[in-house]
């Protein structure tokens, strides 16, 4: 226990001051400490100083403290590794960039390139300033230019992808619209067939409830008269007109609701009806229900007004009576007639046996038959359903006819506003009533005008996307198709008018492109070739020469007179004749030889303009002086540049005399 207490660094009182011994080698430190140091032990309860064995020199005072300090602060290092090994991995060439997990930037092995991180740019929460600061903090000018070029390429690719997506979405939208229209037609046909089945079942049920009655002599006479009158369509129309005039005569105000139109006729007329209050079911007025093939009219009985002064004694009661006044009239497709017998409660079923309810929008009117039999109500409901079904079929036929009209020339002409200027063509379209469907043979297949309209739509898309080669090829094919319609002049004029309108729009874009790239030979050849294929040869020539004229004027104005007349004349003449030479050279490559006269005329006009400038600048210089001669020699030397393209303007460079 006493040996485990360890040593104390406290300084004990001793008559001598401790001294630190000289330092020893570290390699022998542990051995020396192990060999020379021995733990102290107690003798008679007192600590005994440690003794050192195997030492040559005597122990000095304070040597124990020095040994303890050396043991405390000395450190032993293991053997260092050998860095010259061949299998060790090589060190990196440049400094490593710290990885930023927020921006997820790619770490490049070279410090001379900065990559564009598309994922980071797509982040909606991206802060451009912090991103640019982080990525381009240590970038050089060359790296900034490369990064800017990469961003521009990415922008162009995104713009191209956007155009392609718009084109694909529009094509898909057109396809889906056609499918939806086809599905709508099929659903309309299915709905009509279901309605026919429902109507047939309803008519069979209504006819099954009608009691069989023996025809009277009057009914047989009426039937025979009707059969005799229906011997022809004209007789039937005459009979309908007579019925309509009789209706106007007996029902006051009916002509306002039911004017005379072809095919309108009366189907049934029932007088034993009364109007009921919808809340109290009390009788209000006597009514007559008149069913026509397209309308349902209700006439109310009113008392006639008789002037007492015109009557003698006893004649007032004889002349007084009732008259029918048209009160309500509805179109059959706007109303619905309900049988209240099937909807009434058990307590009110007897009263509502012969009652009907007419609904039109948010309004409803209730009528009841005075007869005890339900034959009038059943006949009215049956006739109403049959008339509604026939009217629905007629409206559907009209709708299909108008839908087919979309494939006719009227629809084809109405879609293009450029046809508004073709008054003769529109007049011929409106005058021709019977227009059969136009079929065009394309690659052995019969196509209608709707197919041509689809081709026009595709041409519009190509013009909008500036696909010039495809658009020009499309225009050529449509013009070839129009030339093949020799037997149908009207359709040929329509197609030519539409194609010419699109060709003008396309030519405007190509001309603008020609003006922007008139200094480049290849681009100019391509643009001129497109305009020639579209049939705008003169426009291409005029646009090209006008663009070159603007270029000569612009470059000549950039020449500044700084006091030296010879230097100024040198600059102006060099600009004029160099641009003239290049213009003639490109013109010879792009246009046929027959148009070369227009280019020579253009060059002569600009030569005259140069002579005017030369005369104005040399007006203050004496003719024949050294300055005069030197300026003229420079101008003529530059005029010889056009000799390379076959023009000789050396003798035409001159200053006219003052007398002339």
């Amino acid at each position: 226990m006493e040996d485990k207490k360890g040593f104390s660094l406290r300084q004990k009182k001793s008559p001598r001051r401790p001294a630190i011994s000289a330092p020893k080698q570290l390699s022998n430190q542990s051995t020396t400490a192990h060999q020379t140091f021995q733990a102290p032990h107690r003798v008679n309860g007192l600590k005994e100083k440690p003794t050192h064995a195997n030492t040559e020199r005597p122990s000095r005072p304070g040597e124990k403290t020095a040994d303890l300090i050396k043991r405390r602060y000395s450190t032993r290092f293991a053997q260092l590794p050998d860095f010259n090994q061949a299998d060790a991995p090589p060190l990196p060439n440049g400094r490593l960039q710290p990885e930023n997990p927020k921006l997820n930037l790619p770490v490049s092995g070279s410090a001379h390139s900065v990559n564009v991180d598309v994922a980071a740019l797509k982040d909606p929460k991206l802060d451009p300033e912090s991103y640019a600061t982080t990525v381009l903090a240590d970038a050089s000018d060359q790296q900034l230019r490369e990064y800017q070029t990469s961003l521009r390429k990415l922008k162009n690719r995104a713009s191209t992808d956007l155009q392609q997506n718009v084109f694909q979405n529009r094509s898909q939208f057109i396809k889906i619209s056609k499918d939806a229209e086809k599905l709508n037609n099929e659903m309309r046909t299915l709905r009509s067939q279901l309605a026919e089945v429902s109507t047939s079942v309803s008519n069979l049920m209504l006819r099954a409830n009608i009691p069989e009655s023996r025809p009277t002599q009057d009914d047989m006479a009426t039937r025979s008269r009707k059969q005799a009158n229906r011997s022809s369509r004209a007789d039937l129309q005459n009979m309908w007109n007579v019925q309509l005039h009789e209706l106007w005569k007996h029902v006051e105000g009916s002509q306002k609701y039911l004017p005379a139109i072809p095919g309108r006729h009366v189907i049934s007329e029932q007088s034993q009806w009364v109007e009921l209050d919808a809340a109290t079911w009390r009788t209000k007025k006597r009514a007559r229900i008149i069913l026509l093939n397209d309308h349902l009219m209700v006439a109310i009985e009113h008392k006639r007004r008789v002037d007492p002064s015109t009557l003698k004694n006893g004649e007032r009661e004889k002349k007084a009576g009732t008259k029918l006044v048209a009160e309500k009239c509805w179109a059959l497709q706007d109303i619905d007639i309900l049988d209240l017998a099937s909807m009434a409660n058990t307590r009110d079923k007897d009263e509502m046996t012969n009652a009907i309810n007419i609904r039109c929008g948010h309004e409803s009117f209730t009528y009841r038959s005075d007869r005890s039999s339900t034959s009038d109500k059943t006949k009215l409901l049956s006739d109403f359903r049959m008339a509604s079904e026939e009217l629905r079929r007629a409206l559907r036929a009209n709708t299909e006819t108008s839908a087919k009209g979309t494939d006719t020339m009227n629809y084809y002409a109405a879609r293009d506003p450029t046809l508004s200027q073709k008054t003769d063509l529109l007049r011929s379209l409106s005058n021709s009533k019977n227009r059969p469907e136009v079929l065009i043979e394309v690659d052995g297949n019969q196509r209608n005008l709707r197919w041509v309209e689809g081709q026009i739509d595709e041409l519009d898309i190509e013009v909008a996307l500036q696909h010039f080669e495809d658009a020009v090829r499309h225009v050529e094919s449509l013009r070839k198709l129009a030339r093949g319609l020799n037997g149908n002049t009207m359709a040929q004029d329509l197609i030519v008018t539409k194609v010419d309108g699109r060709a003008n729009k396309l030519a405007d874009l190509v001309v603008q492109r020609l003006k922007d790239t008139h200094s480049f030979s290849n681009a100019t050849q391509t643009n001129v070739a497109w305009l020639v294929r579209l049939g705008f040869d003169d426009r291409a020539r005029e646009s090209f020469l006008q663009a070159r004229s603007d270029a000569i004027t612009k470059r000549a104005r950039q020449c500044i007179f700084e006091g030296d007349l010879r230097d100024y004349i040198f600059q102006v003449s060099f600009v004029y004749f160099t641009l003239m030479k290049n213009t003639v050279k490109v013109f010879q490559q792009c246009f046929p030889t027959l148009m070369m006269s227009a280019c020579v005329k253009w060059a002569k006009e600009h030569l005259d303009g140069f002579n005017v400038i030369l005369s104005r600048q040399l007006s203050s210089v004496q003719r024949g002086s050294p300055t005069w001669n030197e300026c003229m020699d420079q101008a003529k030397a530059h005029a010889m540049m056009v000799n390379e393209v076959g023009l000789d303007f050396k003798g035409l460079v001159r200053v006219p005399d003052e007398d002339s």
Side-chain angles (χ1 to χ4, degrees), residues 641-656:
M641 290 191 298
V642 297
N643 294 341
E644 300 178 6
V645 292
L647 300 179
D648 187 6
F649 286 164
K650 181 179 179 181
L652 299 179
V653 178
R654 58 188 178 84
V655 177

Side-chain angles (χ1 to χ4, degrees), residues 39 89 184 202 215 244 250 261 286 384 418 497 567 581:
N184 190 14
S202 300
L244 199 58
H250 293 92
I261 61 174
R286 298 189 62 84
F384 171 75
T418 57
T497 303
D567 187 20
K581 180 193 71 173

